[in-house]
Structures are given as C-alpha cells and as structure tokens.
Amino acid sequence: MLLNALVLLTSLVPRAEAGAETILHALPVPVVAAAPAETAPPRFDPATRSVSNWHAQTAAHLLPRALAVTASLAEDPPYVARCVRLNNGWCIKSARWPGEIGADAEGHTAFATLDDGADAAASLLRRYYRDYGRHTALAIVRRWAPAECRSVAAPARSGRPVAAPAVSAALAPRGLGRTLRARFLATHRPGGAPRGRSALRVQPWSPLARMAGHAGRRRAPVPHVATLQPIPDIATGLTAPADPAGQTARRPARGVADPAALLDRTTDRRVPSPERMVAESALLPAIATGLPVLDLRLPAPLCTGDEVRIQAYAARISGSVGLKPGDDLDLFGPDGAPRANLAPVMLAMSAVELGTLRAGPDLVAGAIARLRPVTPAANNATP
C-alpha cells in the first residue's frame, strides 16, 4: 500500500512542475510598482491643538516605549500631555524656532518633528546659561516655567518694581476695575448700603456711638432711679408722704438712656427719617460675638502652589546630576561647548514637562550633537 502511494507521488511531481511553469508563463508580466508618493508635510491643527504626525513621532522617540506605542495607536489618549501633541518635548514657547509650524493659544510652539523641539531646547538652555547667567536649576526654572500668580513683577531697569496684573486678561478683559464686582464695591459701602454724596454722620442714639463714644459731646450722667417696690403694711408711716399735686414727679429720662424717646419727638427736626435709620444700621458692625463683619473686598491671590512647583522642578533637575537646586549645573563651557551634565538635565526636564512620557536618550544625544558652535558675533553679543 505504501509502496503504491510512493510510486504514484513520484509520477505526479513532474506533471505538477510542468503545469506550474505553464501557468507562470501564461500570467502577464508584473508591472514594477511606482515609487511611493512623498508624504504630506506635517501641519498644525488649531482646533485639536496638535500636529498631524504626533502619533508617529511619539512612537519613535518617547519613552516608556510600551506607553508611547499605545498612545500612538489611540486617537486621543487622556494621559498624553498637550506638548506631546505639539512635538514639543520641553514645552517651549513660540519664538520663531527652526521647524516651528504654529503655536497654541497659550503660546506653546508646535514643531514639525520632535528633533526640532529638542534642538530648540538645547539652544535655549545654552542661551539661559551663557547670555542670561542662569547657572542654577532654580534660576533656570524661574525663567523656563515662571509662576503664573505674581503680585509684583521683576524690577525694571530704572530700579522701580513694575506691578503685574493680579487677574489674567481671560478673566477680566477690560481690567480688574471694570468688573461687576469692582463696580458694585465702588458704589456700595461695606454691608451693602449704597454710597451717597455725603457720608452719613454717626447719630448719638446709634449703637456705634454708644460703643465708641464722642469726646466732644459729654452729657451729664443720668441718675439711675430704682423702681419702687410694694411696701408691707408693717412699714406704714415710715415712707415720705405722697405728693398729691405731682410737683416733685421726676422727668422721664431721655436721650441715650431712653433711645425710644427720640422717636416721640416728632416736632424736632433732628429726628432722622426711618430710611436714614435703616441705611445707618447697615453700616454698623456685627454686635453679636462670633459674627464676622461682611467683607466684599477681592481676596489676595495665593501663589504658594507655584512656588512649591518651581522648587520641586528645580530639585528634579539638580538631582539628575547629583546637585542641589542652588548649585551650578555646569551645562556649558566658556566657549559654549556642551558638557556631560547637559544630557541628564534635558532628560529630567522633559520628564517633568511631559508627565507620563519623556524624551529618549537618542533624541537628546542627537540634539546635543547638532548644537552649533558659538560664533564670535554671539560671544560679543550682550544679553
């Protein structure tokens, strides 16, 4: 049985080869495929705030590799920072860099490739280090990622500090003084009472006058008269005789001792109107203990979060080369040549800026290798 099968197989093989050759000769000659068309240049989309080739750039140059490949396959991964979509591994602001193709609403540059962004970061660090004299991590970060909440800006050349706006233009396009809250505070007093042309004077019957007192107006003290109690029968004849004519009757207390008496003097022009009394009452502070006085002033901005972020950023950079935030990072030599600390510092800065992703060593090494030497004209230039 097996022998018959082998004999049959050997007789069919030559026939199969002949049939295959006939079929190959019958097929038309394949046309050589044309050269692939050139890919479209990367473009920046302001609506999505991303560059068209950011998926491919992320998969090729960013780490960790598994997370970068996963981000490149997703349409809009939530864990990807905005600068990743801009091919901007260091979140550099727009300044007409080589390879710049746009910028988002906050001024972050959109680069054609991640290599262009790395070249701009290396060039900017050398400018900070040589031209601006920012040799420490803390000095670099204060200029690279400045605090967004400032009450006083950097001093001007004349030596006088220049006040910086406490509120951004997005929140108050017409300025802080033109906001609805500012206009309300300008036309109302603390407590909500509207401001008049003349300030209301403190009335002597008001609680504020009783608490503060007036040195110029001293009134004679009103003697306190105790209320007479019923006299028992056993003490009959011991008290003073009654005055039937009522000639010695005491005049009822008026003024401060009896504020209600002021309301009975309808013929006196000094009695204020009820509307004025309500308006003055609104100006009085809270009498009950524990009730805070209403304060409608604009609270001072809190800048502690920005300072903590800057300190942590600087510590991350300096720690990558075993230094402290106030130590010289030794990034460049006197001639502008990059030194060994530049690569780890750039890697640490990219990790801080991009969050879950970071630039790869090859990307940074290529940018340092392409860094052009400083020309004599640049050496003589003043910052």
Side-chain angles (χ1 to χ4, degrees):
M1 188 71 178
L2 182 60
L3 183 59
N4 294 336
L6 292 175
V7 172
L8 180 60
L9 183 60
T10 53
S11 61
L12 291 177
V13 169
R15 295 180 181 179
E17 291 178 355
E21 291 179 0
T22 304
I23 294 174
L24 289 177
H25 287 295
L27 291 175
V29 179
V31 181
V32 179
E38 296 182 359
T39 58
R43 58 182 180 81
F44 172 67
D45 186 5
T48 59
R49 295 189 299 178
S50 62
V51 183
S52 57
N53 65 340
W54 77 268
H55 293 88
Q57 291 292 314
T58 298
H61 298 289
L62 298 186
L63 297 177
R65 188 68 62 188
L67 195 61
V69 173
T70 305
S72 65
L73 298 177
E75 182 67 23
D76 188 15
Y79 56 86
V80 172
R82 58 183 176 183
C83 291
V84 175
R85 298 179 173 88
L86 299 174
N87 290 337
N88 191 346
W90 286 262
C91 289
I92 302 173
K93 294 298 184 70
S94 175
R96 297 181 180 179
W97 299 103
E100 180 178 345
I101 59 176
D104 62 0
E106 298 181 2
H108 294 94
T109 310
F111 290 100
T113 61
L114 278 170
D115 289 328
D116 296 329
D119 295 344
S123 177
L124 187 58
L125 277 175
R126 184 166 64 178
R127 186 182 304 175
Y128 279 8
Y129 195 87
R130 298 187 71 255
D131 299 342
Y132 299 151
R134 297 181 177 268
H135 297 170
T136 66
L138 197 58
I140 292 176
V141 172
R142 289 193 186 279
R143 181 70 181 263
W144 193 283
E148 299 178 358
C149 177
R150 294 189 297 253
S151 57
V152 177
R157 293 186 178 180
S158 61
R160 297 181 180 180
V162 180
V167 181
S168 62
L171 296 178
R174 299 183 179 179
L176 184 60
R178 300 293 298 276
T179 58
L180 181 62
R181 183 185 182 91
R183 286 182 291 172
F184 176 82
L185 294 177
T187 57
H188 293 74
R189 297 182 180 276
R195 294 180 181 269
R197 294 186 178 179
S198 60
L200 298 177
R201 62 187 182 89
V202 179
Q203 299 294 338
W205 48 265
S206 62
L208 185 61
R210 298 182 63 183
M211 289 187 295
H214 293 278
R217 294 192 216 164
R218 295 190 179 228
R219 299 197 178 197
V222 179
H224 179 72
V225 180
T227 305
L228 299 178
Q229 300 294 333
I231 301 175
D233 295 339
I234 193 173
T236 303
L238 298 180
T239 60
D243 187 4
Q247 298 178 357
T248 60
R250 185 175 297 276
R251 185 179 180 182
R254 306 181 66 86
V256 177
D258 188 10
L262 294 174
L263 303 179
D264 297 337
R265 293 159 51 181
T266 56
T267 58
D268 195 347
R269 296 181 180 180
R270 293 179 297 176
V271 178
S273 62
E275 292 78 9
R276 189 167 185 176
M277 293 171 58
V278 172
E280 287 190 357
S281 300
L283 300 178
L284 300 178
I287 298 177
T289 58
L291 294 179
V293 180
L294 183 60
D295 188 3
L296 300 178
R297 292 178 297 177
L298 185 68
L302 299 178
C303 303
T304 56
D306 278 339
E307 184 62 26
V308 171
R309 175 186 60 82
I310 290 174
Q311 294 287 343
Y313 197 164
R316 181 78 176 272
I317 294 175
S318 59
S320 63
V321 291
L323 298 175
K324 295 181 179 180
D327 298 339
D328 191 340
L329 294 177
D330 193 19
L331 300 180
F332 298 93
D335 57 346
R339 292 187 173 177
N341 287 351
L342 180 59
V345 166
M346 289 185 64
L347 292 174
M349 293 179 67
S350 176
V352 174
E353 295 288 352
L354 301 185
T356 56
L357 298 172
R358 65 181 185 275
D362 297 338
L363 181 63
V364 174
I368 296 176
R370 292 188 297 269
L371 195 62
R372 298 177 181 179
V374 180
T375 60
N379 287 330
N380 297 331
T382 58

